[in-house]
């Protein structure tokens, strides 16, 4: 537990959050190396199955980043992601599962600082929460 | 322009002179638009000054990393013929049909045989020649390569120092060359080529440090020029990226930058400002700090000219985050301690006189046209200005005095990379206008090899891990990542590269694909957003489908953001490589989708930029729709009577509008707004809504590209008592008043009333005093950017007042005077004529009271060292430029981003300053950022050139990342139909006999967003390239 470092899977939309993450890089904004990014075309393309899969495989947190409302490169994909998130959380709640391990945030291509800060914040949050019991609890 | 009366047939080829970033951009634009290009450079390789830079401001992108893909693209473009070591002797003929005489110097290495292996380089016994590329800080041999990633990559023999040529002995390189490429018999040759147009992008040179001998460059080893320092910073430079002193190799602690060496200095005939040195010096200081947090950088400057997009934020960050010390002082002299080689600077700043010792001094040299370029200008027979730069006009910034010969980049005036790239595209558009009918007449057929069918083969993955100089390798232990990659399933080959994007590495990757029969390729380097297309075309050239490629971003999202944690960054890099390899495993070859192109452009906004863009598009032979929401053309420029150079703006504007309305290919819409834009690159459909005569009309247009030229607006000040006294006006209002005062004298009706706003005191004979306050609502917390034009505007008005009444007192209260480039001349004139410039800082802003209806201005004078009070007749506020109203709406319709200040955000600050990230959408003018008329005009031409790369094609290859339905799984539930924002998926009967229904994707409309796939209840839909299976494998690989 002392050396616990949360493992985070990040689904970053190609047009905003992935670009914001690149900008954090070009601006050399430092953040903890706990997140492993997976580039997807749109936050609306992140199937709930991916989130569940990541949690079941042992991720301590799942991050989803999309364009700000109204800015989606695909018109409304981020709204779909938001709706799906609400549904996903209600399922998680009804099963008595922790919803604070899955984050959805809007980070634009110009918000390198926000990306770095969000990853830092999420990492800190998960450090405090400790390892996810999801994998052990639900392993079949 | 460009219509010649000659009957000589025109030639669909263009000569581009100078292979720096400008020339490469011009060449790529032209070649991508259907022209044959001869790209000529005197040097043995293209790349110019940008190839010598370590990083670029304000993004700190590694210069070579962003340049290299362009060099590679130019080097391998089927329609670009690189002619290195070649000089232009003369150009004869007329626009459309020039005969160019060239002299090709012998390389003594046969380009067709050389593999670039470098074996010859290590065998040459002459090893002590100063390496000019490295500023003489390291040595090269008599056979040498200009730089490691040079395009072409073949070495060159320096005959003046080669023993074979000088003494007819040796021949070591020829023995070493297994390819038999060394050819001592090559001769210089003169050749003549036919071209229709000429683009000159010959650049300029760093000002010689001999202009300031008192700084001791050349005598004191630890005084280096800024370009030498770039090489010192560079990982591939003389010290492999270790910042050290030339005298003793020790790491310096205190480093000083001295600005304006060979700039803003009439005493050496260099009166102009070199426009980019402030930013590059601050950048060098920041990067030096990144190399070592022990370093204490100090920049000695006169005015901090960070006038570009995000520049002020960069300088703020340099001061606050990196501890870069900025001292406003000009250092008269440097003294060296001959024992320690330390350097003593004596200087006077606001805080007093100081003597300070430094370990190293960097001279921020300006830019000058060297004698050989002045010669080139003479050979090409166009006019040069008094400094030797190509003379141009603000309204045709890429046009030289010779028809058919255009110019871009720092050969026309000192300018940084984005302006150079913009101008280069603009110059390409000018060339295309001459040769619109010849488009496509001299291009070659495409020669991408036929694709190998890899279906059924066991996966054979090759992994290439990039050092990116020290950008990755300085943090992530690359060899360890390579070792790790070799242990991954189905990885049959792995290696490390210094720069994966360089031309030689591209060739190496192709060789490895063939040697090891790779059928999947993973590159671990930078961002797929910038480099995936490059690597995809590389694998395509080796016969692989471009979609059998995966990238791991171990730089932008790993080494650069975990600089202090090499262990964890290395672990993360391994994970990212493992994930990419897992994804690669099941990648499938995707077919190409071809789409038609509507050969017309929509230009939004009818100001200078919009009109110029429409004219350029029409000149290139495409239809243009120009949409203006106002009732007339002209935009903001209608409010500008004159430029600082004295141009009559309204007259020029009228000429431009007349040309627009006369052009048969341009259709202009007034009082019209855009209601909706649908479609995608090549195939847009826009609904316009116009109002007129109480009626509302809608019309639908089809077009292939969009140019956003919506401009910006003056901000109405809320500070300094504006609106509370008729004596407090904006600079724009002041300019109108001055025009009004001048006007009655030549007006027939002398009795006509003056604008009531104009105070009597501004009668020219009795103008008392005028105070101007700069940066009103600019460079503050709410608007942390410089509005770029206000300093010049203030100087222009100050000069006009002095002209009306030389005895008038004019005070300009400023923070930094930013009359960059040739505009410095007017600042100098203003000072000469007695305009008083008083500096204030954000902490000592002037205070304005209104007493008896008139302003009283209190300000601290830093030279007198005390507060003074001024009671001007007029107080003029230089209120800045703010984004155009309606920008957000348009951005949402086009799905393009705005930056945090509300201006449109380009795809890349340095190298794609005109493009949006969304294909087929371009920008020009003030919607991008505040700028001058010449800059807006160049950007508008550039937008037309970039647009031509789309409109010149008959078909476009669509993104292969589209949705794909497995009909055996589809239950025809119709769920996807409602989710699709593009109406691109529809349930249809797919088998008439059985009546089987399934969702069918329209690939032309599908954008591959994945909304349908993520919601398909039957798991029947996948996005090609982002298959659920692959993402699942990535997750599993990461967490197993």
């Amino acid at each position: 537990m002392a050396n616990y470092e949360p493992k985070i899977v990040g689904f970053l939309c190609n047009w905003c959050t992935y670009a914001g993450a690149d900008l954090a890089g070009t601006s050399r904004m430092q953040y903890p190396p706990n997140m492993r990014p997976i580039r997807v075309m749109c936050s609306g393309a992140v199937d709930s199955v991916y989130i569940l899969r990541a949690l079941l495989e042992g991720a301590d947190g799942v991050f989803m980043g999309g364009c700000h409302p109204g800015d989606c490169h695909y018109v409304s994909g981020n709204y779909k992601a938001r709706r799906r998130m609400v549904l996903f959380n209600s399922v998680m709640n009804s099963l008595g599962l922790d919803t604070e391990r899955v984050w959805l945030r809007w980070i634009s291509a110009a918000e390198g600082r926000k990306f770095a800060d969000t990853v830092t914040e999420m990492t800190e949050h998960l450090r405090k929460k400790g390892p996810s019991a999801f994998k052990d609890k639900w392993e079949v | 322009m460009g219509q010649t009366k000659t009957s000589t047939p025109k030639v669909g080829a263009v000569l581009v002179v100078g292979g720096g970033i400008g020339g490469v951009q011009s060449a790529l634009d032209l070649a991508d638009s259907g022209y044959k290009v001869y790209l000529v450079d005197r040097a043995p390789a293209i790349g110019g000054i940008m190839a010598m830079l370590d990083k670029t401001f304000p993004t700190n992108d590694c210069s070579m990393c962003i340049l290299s893909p362009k060099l590679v693209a130019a080097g391998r473009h089927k329609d670009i013929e690189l002619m290195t070591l070649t000089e232009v002797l003369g150009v004869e003929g007329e626009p459309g049909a020039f005969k160019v005489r060239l002299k090709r110097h012998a390389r003594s290495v046969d380009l067709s045989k050389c593999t670039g292996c470098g074996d010859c380089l290590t065998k040459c016994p002459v090893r002590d020649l100063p390496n000019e590329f490295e500023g003489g800080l390291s040595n090269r041999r008599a056979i040498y390569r200009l730089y490691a990633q040079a395009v072409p990559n073949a070495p060159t023999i320096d005959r003046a120092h080669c023993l074979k040529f000088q003494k007819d002995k040796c021949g070591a390189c020829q023995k070493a060359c297994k390819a038999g490429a060394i050819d001592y018999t090559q001769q210089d040759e003169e050749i003549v080529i036919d071209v229709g147009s000429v683009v000159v992008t010959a650049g300029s040179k760093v000002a010689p440090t001999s202009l300031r001998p008192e700084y001791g460059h050349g005598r004191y080893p630890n005084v280096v020029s800024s370009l030498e320092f770039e090489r010192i910073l560079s990982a591939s430079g003389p010290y492999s990226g270790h910042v050290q002193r030339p005298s003793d190799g020790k790491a310096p602690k205190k480093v000083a930058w001295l600005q304006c060496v060979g700039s803003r200095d009439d005493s050496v005939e260099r009166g102009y400002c070199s426009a980019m040195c402030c930013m590059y010096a601050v950048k060098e200081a920041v990067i030096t700090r990144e190399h070592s947090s022990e370093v204490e950088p100090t920049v000695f400057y006169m005015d901090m000219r960070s006038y570009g997009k995000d520049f002020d934020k960069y300088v703020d960050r340099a001061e606050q985050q990196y501890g870069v010390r900025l001292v406003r002082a000009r250092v008269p002299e440097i003294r060296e301690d001959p024992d320690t080689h330390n350097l003593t600077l004596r200087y006077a700043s606001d805080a007093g006189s100081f003597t300070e010792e430094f370990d190293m001094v960097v001279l921020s040299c300006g830019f000058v046209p060297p004698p050989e370029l002045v010669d080139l200008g003479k050979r090409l027979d166009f006019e040069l200005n008094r400094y030797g730069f190509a003379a141009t006009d603000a309204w045709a910034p890429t046009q030289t005095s010779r028809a058919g010969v255009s110019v871009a980049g720092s050969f026309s005036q000192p300018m940084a990379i984005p302006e150079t790239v913009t101008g280069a595209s603009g110059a390409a558009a000018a060339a295309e206008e001459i040769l619109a009918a010849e488009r496509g007449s001299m291009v070659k057929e495409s020669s991408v090899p036929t694709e190998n069918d890899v279906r059924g083969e066991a996966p054979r993955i090759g992994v290439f891990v990039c050092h990116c100089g020290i950008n990755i390798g300085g943090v992530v232990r690359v060899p360890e990542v390579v070792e790790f990659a070799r242990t991954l399933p189905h990885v049959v080959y792995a290696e490390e590269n210094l720069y994966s994007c360089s031309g030689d590495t591209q060739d190496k990757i192709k060789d490895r694909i063939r040697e090891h029969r790779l059928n999947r390729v993973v590159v671990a380097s930078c961002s797929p957003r910038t480099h995936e297309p490059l690597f995809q075309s590389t694998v395509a050239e080796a016969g692989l489908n471009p979609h059998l490629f995966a990238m791991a971003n171990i730089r932008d999202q790993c080494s650069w953001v975990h600089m202090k944690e090499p262990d964890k960054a290395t672990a993360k890099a391994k994970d990212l490589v493992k994930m990419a390899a897992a994804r690669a495993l099941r990648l499938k070859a995707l077919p190409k989708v071809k789409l038609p192109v509507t050969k017309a452009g929509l230009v939004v906004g009818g100001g200078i930029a919009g009109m110029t863009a429409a004219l350029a598009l029409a000149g290139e032979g495409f239809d243009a729709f120009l949409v203006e929401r106002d009732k007339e053309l002209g935009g903001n420029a209608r409010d500008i009577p004159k430029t600082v150079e004295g141009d009559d703006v309204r007259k020029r504007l009228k000429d431009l509008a007349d040309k627009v309305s006369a052009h048969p290919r341009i259709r202009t819409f007034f009082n019209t707004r855009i209601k909706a834009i649908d479609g995608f690159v090549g195939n847009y459909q826009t609904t316009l809504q116009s109002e007129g005569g109480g009626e509302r009309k809608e019309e639908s247009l089809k077009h292939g590209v969009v140019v956003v030229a919506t401009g910006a607006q003056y901000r109405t000040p809320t500070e300094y008592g504006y609106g509370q006294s008729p004596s407090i006006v904006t600079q724009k209002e002041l300019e109108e008043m001055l025009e009004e005062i001048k006007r009655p004298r030549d007006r027939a009706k002398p009795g006509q009333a003056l604008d009531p706003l104009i105070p009597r005191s501004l009668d020219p004979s009795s103008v008392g005093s005028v105070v101007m306050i700069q940066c009103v609502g600019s460079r503050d917390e709410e608007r942390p950017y410089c509005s770029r034009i206000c300093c010049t505007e203030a100087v222009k008005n100050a000069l006009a007042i002095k002209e009306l009444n030389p005895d008038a007192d004019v005070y300009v209260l400023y923070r930094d005077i930013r009359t960059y480039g040739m505009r410095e001349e007017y600042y100098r004139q203003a000072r000469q004529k007695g305009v008083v410039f008083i500096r204030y800082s954000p902490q000592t802003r002037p205070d304005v009271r209104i007493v008896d209806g008139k302003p009283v201005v209190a300000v601290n004078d830093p030279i007198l060292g005390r507060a003074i009070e001024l009671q001007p007749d007029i107080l003029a506020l230089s209120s800045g430029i703010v984004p155009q109203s309606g920008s957000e709406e348009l951005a949402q319709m086009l799905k393009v981003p705005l930056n945090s200040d509300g201006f449109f955000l380009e795809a890349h600050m340095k190298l794609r300053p005109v493009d949006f990230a969304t294909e087929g959408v371009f920008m020009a003018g003030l919607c991008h950022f505040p700028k001058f008329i010449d800059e807006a005009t160049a950007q508008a031409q550039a937008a037309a050139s970039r647009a031509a790369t789309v409109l010149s094609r008959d078909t476009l290859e669509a993104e292969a990342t589209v949705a794909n339905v497995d009909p055996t799984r589809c239950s025809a539930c119709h769920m996807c139909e409602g989710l699709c924002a593009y109406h691109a998926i529809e349930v249809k009967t797919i088998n008439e006999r059985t009546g089987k229904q399934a969702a069918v994707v329209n690939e032309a409309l599908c954008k591959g967003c994945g909304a349908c796939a993520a919601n398909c209840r039957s798991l029947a839909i996948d996005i090609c390239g982002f298959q659920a299976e692959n993402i699942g494998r990535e997750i599993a690989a990461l967490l197993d």
Side-chain angles (χ1 to χ4, degrees):
Chain A
M1 204 40 208
N3 294 324
Y4 162 67
E5 279 295 338
K7 278 178 281 187
I8 307 171
V9 178
F11 295 99
L12 314 184
C13 97
N14 180 61
W15 304 96
C16 292
T17 311
Y18 197 91
D22 280 349
L23 179 63
T26 51
S27 318
R28 310 293 193 278
M29 291 161 177
Q30 305 296 301
Y31 57 83
N34 295 57
M35 182 193 287
R36 303 290 183 259
I38 294 178
R39 184 169 68 114
V40 291
M41 291 314 280
C42 178
S43 56
V46 182
D47 198 324
S48 307
V49 173
Y50 302 169
I51 308 171
L52 279 173
R53 172 120 193 217
L55 292 171
L56 281 170
E57 298 266 5
D60 297 299
V62 176
F63 174 82
M64 269 183 290
C67 310
H68 282 270
D71 289 353
C72 177
H73 187 79
Y74 303 110
V75 186
S76 56
N78 50 357
Y79 292 124
K80 287 164 189 146
R82 187 165 66 181
R83 266 187 258 163
R84 196 178 303 131
M85 198 65 208
V86 173
L87 200 65
F88 183 82
N89 280 344
S90 77
V91 173
M92 293 280 279
N93 275 326
S94 67
L95 294 172
L97 295 170
D98 188 356
T99 55
E100 284 181 35
R101 292 187 183 273
V102 183
W103 287 28
L104 172 64
R105 294 290 184 275
W106 313 132
I107 297 172
S108 81
E111 292 175 330
R113 171 48 57 199
K114 185 172 176 191
F115 181 82
D117 288 348
T118 308
V119 177
T120 309
E121 191 194 343
M122 185 166 185
T123 307
E124 285 304 319
H125 183 80
L126 293 173
R127 272 188 191 135
K128 281 187 204 125
K129 281 184 91 70
S132 166
F134 201 94
K135 184 179 176 182
D136 303 331
K137 236 189 209 168
W138 289 83
E139 206 154 36
V140 279
Chain B
M1 71 187 252
Q3 289 302 315
T4 55
K5 289 182 188 107
T6 168
S7 58
T8 326
K10 290 188 178 182
V11 185
V14 180
L15 169 73
V16 177
V17 187
I21 182 58
V24 168
Q25 181 65 41
S26 287
L28 284 172
D29 270 10
L30 286 162
D32 284 342
S33 302
Y35 297 94
K36 158 96 187 175
V37 177
Y38 300 96
L39 179 56
V40 168
D41 201 300
R42 291 160 47 93
I46 56 173
I49 291 180
M50 191 175 171
M52 303 166 91
L53 306 182
D54 178 45
K55 300 272 162 57
T56 58
F57 59 83
T59 53
N60 285 1
D61 268 316
C62 149
S63 185
M64 185 49 77
C65 307
I66 56 175
L67 173 65
S68 200
K70 293 237 180 192
L71 298 182
V72 171
R76 68 173 167 205
H77 200 292
K78 66 182 174 64
D79 296 318
I80 298 178
E81 188 172 332
L82 284 190
M83 303 177 95
T84 44
L85 289 166
T86 302
E87 280 180 277
V88 180
L89 298 178
V91 175
E92 280 153 35
E94 310 229 4
F98 287 117
K99 283 213 179 298
V100 183
R101 277 189 308 123
L102 299 169
K103 182 169 188 183
R104 227 174 178 162
H105 295 273
R107 182 183 285 268
S108 313
V109 175
D110 185 340
L111 280 176
S112 64
K113 290 182 182 163
C114 176
T115 64
C117 71
D119 285 349
C120 54
L121 303 176
T122 56
K123 294 292 187 294
C124 177
V126 185
R127 45 178 75 203
D128 54 353
L129 304 169
N131 187 341
E132 301 89 347
F133 189 84
E134 306 292 359
L137 293 170
S138 66
N139 291 336
R140 65 164 172 82
R141 308 204 185 194
I143 184 165
Y144 70 105
R145 189 183 277 151
L146 195 60
Y147 56 100
Q149 307 80 20
V151 174
N153 205 237
T156 308
I157 292 179
D158 172 359
R159 290 189 170 185
H161 296 96
C162 171
L163 296 179
K164 182 78 188 170
F165 285 94
Q166 296 306 318
K167 297 183 178 156
D168 195 24
K169 44 188 182 184
C170 190
C173 52
Q174 198 169 43
K175 280 177 222 130
C177 181
K178 295 181 186 62
I182 308 287
D183 179 1
Y184 299 125
T185 65
Q186 274 186 2
Q187 297 293 320
D188 292 358
E189 52 179 347
E190 251 188 67
I191 47 174
V192 176
I193 55 169
D194 289 302
V195 298
S197 178
V198 179
V199 174
V200 184
T201 49
S204 55
K205 285 250 161 91
V206 169
T209 51
S210 55
L211 289 175
R212 304 280 292 190
E214 62 275 31
Y215 287 163
H217 182 255
R219 280 181 290 139
Y220 307 151
N222 294 330
V223 175
V224 298
S225 78
S226 42
L227 202 53
E228 288 161 9
F229 195 72
E230 290 284 342
R231 298 310 303 155
I232 290 177
L233 288 171
S234 172
S236 51
Y239 306 147
S240 305
H242 299 293
V243 178
Q244 62 185 58
R245 308 204 312 166
S247 71
D248 51 14
K250 282 189 190 145
K253 190 164 188 306
K254 293 188 70 176
V255 184
W257 277 259
L258 306 192
Q259 296 308 103
C260 302
V261 176
S263 295
R264 301 183 68 183
D265 189 350
D266 270 323
S267 69
V268 294
E269 295 293 315
R270 295 288 151 199
Y272 56 86
C273 158
S274 289
M276 70 199 101
C277 324
C278 282
M279 284 306 291
Y280 79 56
V282 171
K283 171 204 72 182
E284 288 177 355
V286 164
I287 303 297
T288 308
R289 271 289 293 227
E290 275 189 354
H291 278 254
S292 160
S293 53
E294 303 287 299
V295 173
E296 295 168 19
T298 306
V299 180
F300 292 94
Y301 69 104
M302 303 209 287
D303 290 285
M304 182 48 63
R305 295 196 163 167
S306 44
Y307 52 81
K309 202 172 186 177
D310 284 355
F311 287 7
D312 270 324
K313 288 176 208 164
Y314 188 88
V315 175
D316 286 347
R317 221 167 60 220
E319 268 194 287
Q320 285 150 23
Q321 212 173 311
Y322 289 91
V324 175
R325 186 166 65 123
L326 303 177
V327 178
R328 194 186 295 262
R330 193 153 194 175
V331 177
E333 192 184 11
I334 298 175
R335 296 205 176 173
E336 191 202 41
D337 178 332
D339 296 328
T340 61
H341 295 296
N342 288 350
L343 304 150
T344 302
L345 273 56
R346 211 173 282 176
Y347 62 92
S349 75
D350 287 352
S353 294
F354 302 91
T355 304
E356 198 174 335
E357 198 178 59
F358 288 87
D359 300 315
M360 206 169 164
V361 171
V362 183
L363 304 182
S364 292
C365 299
F367 285 78
V368 299
E372 61 266 29
L373 285 187
V374 175
D375 271 1
L376 175 70
K378 285 181 189 150
R379 285 199 298 273
L380 290 170
D381 197 18
F382 54 75
E383 278 174 31
L384 303 173
N385 69 14
R386 72 176 170 113
Y387 296 115
F389 292 108
T392 55
D393 175 89
W395 299 74
T398 59
Q399 182 56 53
T400 67
S401 61
R402 182 170 182 187
V405 180
S406 43
V407 65
S410 58
F411 191 24
S412 56
Q413 58 172 307
M415 60 175 79
I417 294 165
E419 285 82 7
T420 298
V421 171
T422 303
S425 282
E432 288 178 41
E433 286 187 44
I434 298 167
L435 303 172
E438 279 64 38
R439 193 187 296 282
S441 61
M442 284 183 69
V443 298
K444 283 189 202 150
E445 287 301 310
S446 171
S447 63
V448 175
T450 40
E451 245 170 60
N452 303 331
D453 188 351
V454 301
R455 281 176 302 179
E457 285 179 15
R460 295 178 63 80
I461 305 175
V463 178
F464 299 86
V465 186
C466 188
H467 279 268
C468 194
I470 58 164
N471 284 289
I472 295 170
V475 179
V476 170
R477 293 187 295 273
V478 172
E480 203 179 308
V481 179
V482 173
E483 273 313 307
F484 171 77
R486 292 197 175 116
T487 66
L488 294 170
H490 300 285
V491 171
V492 296
Y493 184 79
E495 69 168 30
E496 56 197 270
N497 309 124
L498 183 60
Y499 292 104
S500 296
C501 52
S502 66
D504 55 329
T505 310
Q506 300 296 299
D507 291 337
K508 200 162 78 178
I509 292 175
K510 282 188 267 179
D511 291 344
R512 298 291 181 263
I513 292 172
R514 294 188 198 106
E515 284 164 25
H516 298 272
R517 289 178 294 111
L518 305 177
N519 54 24
R520 306 284 190 285
V521 173
V522 171
V523 172
S525 57
C526 44
S527 175
R529 289 176 55 256
T530 51
H531 282 66
E532 197 173 51
L534 171 76
F535 293 119
Q536 284 186 325
S537 55
T538 303
V539 303
E541 283 173 22
L544 278 185
N545 182 282
H547 296 277
L548 298 172
F549 170 80
M551 248 181 125
N553 185 346
I554 61 168
R555 188 188 71 179
D556 303 43
Q557 297 190 23
C558 188
S559 66
W560 275 354
V561 288
H562 313 309
M563 295 169 86
K564 303 266 149 56
E565 298 173 288
D567 290 337
K568 288 178 179 174
T570 304
K572 179 170 171 180
K574 286 181 187 172
D575 276 351
L576 294 175
V577 169
K578 191 178 176 189
M579 289 159 74
R583 184 166 73 241
L585 197 58
R586 298 305 289 265
L587 287 174
K588 289 182 190 132
L590 302 180
K592 285 169 186 157
V593 185
K594 290 209 168 185
L595 300 169
V597 176
T598 310
K599 297 194 174 226
L602 172 75
V603 181
V604 190
I608 290 178
M611 287 193 281
T612 307
L615 278 170
L617 275 173
E620 289 169 345
F622 307 112
D623 288 333
F625 303 114
L626 180 59
V627 177
E628 169 57 52
R629 67 182 181 189
D630 211 337
K631 62 180 190 307
E632 59 176 1
L633 296 170
N636 287 322
R638 286 173 297 177
D639 297 333
I640 309 173
K642 279 204 166 63
T643 63
V644 73
E645 293 88 1
D647 265 342
D648 182 343
V649 176
R650 284 167 181 154
K651 185 179 167 299
R652 304 291 292 254
L653 209 52
K654 187 175 175 303
D655 293 348
L656 201 58
D658 287 349
K659 266 196 217 161
V660 168
S661 41
H663 205 295
R665 281 194 178 278
I666 303 177
R667 224 183 120 193
T668 311
F669 299 83
F670 295 102
N671 300 311
T672 302
R673 285 167 183 272
I674 289 170
K675 196 182 166 198
I677 301 180
D678 293 313
F680 47 92
V681 57
N683 299 274
Y684 281 102
Q685 181 151 6
T686 294
T687 312
L688 301 180
Q689 192 173 62
S690 43
E691 280 174 55
E695 260 185 272
R696 261 197 185 183
K697 266 197 323 200
E698 280 194 9
E699 183 172 348
S700 177
L701 302 173
K702 283 186 192 277
H703 52 98
V705 298
V706 182
V707 177
V708 178
T710 48
Q713 47 189 341
Y714 282 102
R715 176 177 166 272
T716 306
T718 53
E719 306 82 347
Y720 299 122
Y722 183 77
Q724 294 167 34
S725 157
S727 304
I728 304 179
V729 298
T730 62
Q731 284 289 3
K732 189 177 75 161
E733 288 161 350
L734 174 62
E735 189 178 3
E736 279 164 18
M737 285 179 190
L738 296 171
E739 279 303 301
E740 198 63 31
I741 291 166
K742 280 190 243 164
R743 205 167 297 150
R745 284 186 284 183
D746 12 280
R747 204 157 49 188
K749 292 176 279 181
Q752 197 166 336
L754 292 177
D755 189 319
L757 238 182
I758 296 172
R760 278 180 193 288
S761 54
L762 245 182
D763 181 308
S765 56
S766 66
V767 171
S769 64
V770 177
V771 169
M772 301 178 180
I773 302 181
Q774 299 304 104
C775 298
V776 178
S778 288
R779 301 180 67 191
D780 59 12
E781 282 196 358
E782 200 184 331
R783 277 169 294 274
Y785 60 90
C786 165
S787 291
R788 193 166 173 135
I789 61 166
C790 329
C791 283
T792 306
E793 216 183 348
V795 165
K796 173 175 75 178
N797 285 345
L799 284 171
I801 294 165
K802 281 289 190 185
E803 197 184 325
L804 286 169
N805 176 12
D807 298 328
D809 292 325
V810 184
Y811 302 91
V812 180
L813 314 187
Y814 73 102
R815 287 176 58 189
D816 295 277
I817 289 293
R818 293 181 169 175
T819 45
Y820 61 96
M822 298 299 156
R823 296 166 189 92
E824 180 72 7
E825 169 64 17
Y826 301 98
Y827 176 37
R828 190 183 59 81
Q829 280 180 20
R831 277 175 298 159
Q832 256 175 5
K833 292 191 172 159
V835 175
V836 180
F837 289 84
I838 301 173
R839 187 161 39 79
Y840 74 87
S841 74
Q843 291 77 39
T844 60
R845 284 184 191 281
D847 183 57
V848 176
R849 283 175 295 138
I850 296 170
V851 179
D852 299 332
K854 295 195 78 177
V856 177
V857 183
V859 66
N860 184 61
D861 185 329
I863 293 173
L864 299 176
R866 63 179 174 82
I868 57 168
E869 209 167 74
L870 302 163
Q871 298 183 337
D873 299 316
I874 297 276
L875 171 61
L877 305 179
S878 285
S879 190
I881 304 288
V882 293
Q884 188 62 277
S885 64
S887 293
E888 284 183 17
E889 250 179 287
L890 185 63
Q892 287 197 4
M893 272 194 268
L894 285 166
K895 305 293 161 211
V896 296
L898 300 172
N899 78 356
S900 55
D901 300 323
F903 294 100
F904 283 95
L905 181 61
E906 60 271 43
H908 190 276
M909 288 262 191
K910 280 291 185 199
L911 295 189
R912 293 182 68 192
V914 187
D915 306 9
F916 282 102
T918 306
E919 265 187 276
V921 190
F922 309 96
M923 71 183 93
L926 274 66
C927 68
H928 162 254
F929 198 66
K931 51 173 67 76
F932 289 95
I933 289 172
D934 56 336
E935 296 168 327
T937 303
Q939 200 180 14
Q941 290 180 313
S945 169
R946 300 294 303 141
T949 64
V950 174
L951 299 180
S952 62
R953 299 174 193 212
D954 295 323
T955 55
L956 285 177
E957 278 173 9
E959 284 293 316
T961 44
V962 290
N964 184 31
V965 181
D966 178 353
T968 61
R969 284 189 162 188
C970 177
S971 57
C973 71
H974 294 263
M975 187 71 182
C976 49
E977 285 181 347
L979 283 166
C980 181
Y982 303 100
H983 311 293
I985 193 163
E986 207 180 344
V987 175
K988 288 181 181 163
T989 304
I990 57 161
N991 188 327
E992 291 295 340
R993 198 174 51 79
T994 58
K996 162 79 180 168
Q997 288 199 316
V1000 176
V1001 176
N1002 177 344
E1003 290 174 346
L1005 293 178
C1006 177
K1007 301 230 177 189
C1009 73
C1012 55
N1015 289 285
C1016 179
R1017 299 162 181 190
S1018 315
L1019 305 178
I1021 313 179
D1022 247 331
I1023 301 301
C1024 299
F1026 290 87
Q1027 285 92 336
E1029 185 192 353
N1030 291 353
I1031 291 181
R1033 279 176 182 278
E1034 266 191 83
I1035 299 170
L1038 167 63
L1039 297 166
D1040 72 353

